Amino acid sequence: MPALDAEIRDLMRFAAERSMLPRFRNLAAGDVEMKGVDDPVTIVDREVEAFLTEALTKLAPGVAVVGEEAVHADKSALDHLSGQCWIIDPLDGTANFAEGKEPFGIIVALADAGQAVAGWIYDPLKDRFCHARRGEGAFVNGERIAARTTGQEPPVTAVSRIFLTPQESAMVDAKLAAHYTLVDIPRCAAEQYPRLALGENDISSFKRTLAWDHAAGVLWLNEAGGKAARLDGSAYRVDQHEAPGLVGASSPAIWDEFVARVMA
């Protein structure tokens, strides 16, 4: 494993062992707050982001850091997404974690000029470390992997209705239900992207496309030979985080068929 990947893995593992795992199913009163509707934040989010921000700044002085909680505090931090920057989701799957449920993880990406150039996804319960660099393939715990489908017919599709309007939810029923096995999302991008390459899900459709949730996963899935892109086929950019619509699939062919049905 290249030195940078090993160093990022060790930072993520240390943060999880110090702040995350001791508090899993052990959060104290006052350790969870609500930033908005269905949008909790915990003491773990803040501790891990502070630790990783400091560590990554030491690792690459002069490279901006865009963390989910920093953006919540100051939206101007989003301006850094168009340049060279680290992107941090300190606790992906916060709602799960706050409820004492799996899955959850840590996501870090390195981006330049709006494109992710490297990404790292860590599941502390499984000690699973997914990483990728643009043009160099996708890896799990240091072993190169190739995306595989579930092999099921109809394909297994994870679709969240949480952020859908009633009209969008009706579209799912009208256009997709007859052609796909619909399953719940894990509410955790750190788990959803691995599922798309490791034979558990074939498709996942995302309405919200925030950079800290998707930068690393999109790169990793594409490097594995799956496909993640906007509905119009354009590449995902971290500096277009408010643009709606993103589909990930275990193969380009499955992606094409799904999007054709959605757009019909």
Side-chain angles (χ1 to χ4, degrees):
M1 183 183 298
L4 178 62
D5 298 316
E7 188 157 4
I8 299 294
R9 178 203 59 197
D10 291 346
L11 289 173
M12 292 170 129
R13 185 180 283 159
F14 178 81
E17 291 175 350
R18 185 186 71 168
S19 297
M20 192 174 291
L21 296 179
R23 290 194 179 94
F24 182 46
R25 298 174 179 159
N26 194 37
L27 288 168
D31 283 350
V32 183
E33 301 173 16
M34 298 303 296
K35 295 187 291 186
V37 177
D38 197 40
D39 190 13
V41 61
T42 73
I43 188 173
V44 175
D45 297 78
R46 292 176 172 137
E47 281 188 2
V48 172
E49 183 165 318
F51 167 73
L52 290 176
T53 297
E54 181 179 2
L56 295 172
T57 299
K58 289 180 179 178
L59 187 63
V63 177
V65 179
V66 181
E68 178 179 2
E69 303 315 320
V71 169
H72 178 71
D74 182 1
K75 293 293 190 294
S76 68
L78 291 170
D79 296 342
H80 294 300
L81 290 173
S82 59
Q84 189 178 39
C85 64
W86 299 100
I87 304 169
I88 303 173
D89 191 336
L91 174 52
D92 186 58
T94 298
N96 294 339
F97 188 89
E99 294 172 9
K101 299 189 297 189
E102 305 173 32
F104 53 87
I106 305 173
I107 305 175
V108 175
L110 180 63
D112 193 12
Q115 296 281 348
V117 296
W120 303 271
I121 305 171
Y122 182 60
D123 181 326
L125 294 178
K126 297 177 181 176
D127 195 32
R128 181 184 64 200
F129 180 63
C130 301
H131 60 101
R133 297 192 195 192
R134 185 170 298 278
E136 298 182 16
F139 298 81
V140 177
N141 292 337
E143 295 188 9
R144 187 164 184 163
I145 62 105
R148 61 182 185 271
T149 70
T150 64
Q152 297 186 36
E153 286 296 337
V156 179
T157 301
V159 177
S160 171
R161 298 177 189 257
I162 296 173
F163 301 108
L164 298 184
T165 65
Q167 294 79 10
E168 290 168 335
S169 187
M171 182 278 292
V172 170
D173 293 327
K175 293 187 175 184
L176 304 178
H179 305 285
Y180 298 95
T181 299
L182 301 181
V183 299
D184 289 336
I185 62 166
R187 299 192 71 184
C188 173
E191 172 64 17
Q192 187 61 71
Y193 280 102
R195 288 185 182 186
L196 290 169
L198 300 179
E200 296 182 55
N201 290 170
D202 289 301
I203 304 161
S204 192
S205 177
F206 307 96
K207 183 175 182 179
R208 297 201 309 173
T209 61
L210 300 167
W212 41 87
D213 289 326
H214 297 285
V218 167
L219 175 64
W220 183 83
L221 181 60
N222 284 328
E223 287 292 322
K227 182 174 180 178
R230 298 287 187 185
L231 283 166
D232 62 2
S234 62
Y236 175 79
R237 291 181 55 88
V238 304
D239 55 358
Q240 294 176 340
H241 54 280
E242 292 186 356
L246 176 66
V247 173
S250 56
S251 76
I254 288 176
W255 190 97
D256 290 344
E257 180 179 332
F258 178 85
V259 171
R261 291 188 187 282
V262 169
M263 303 300 286

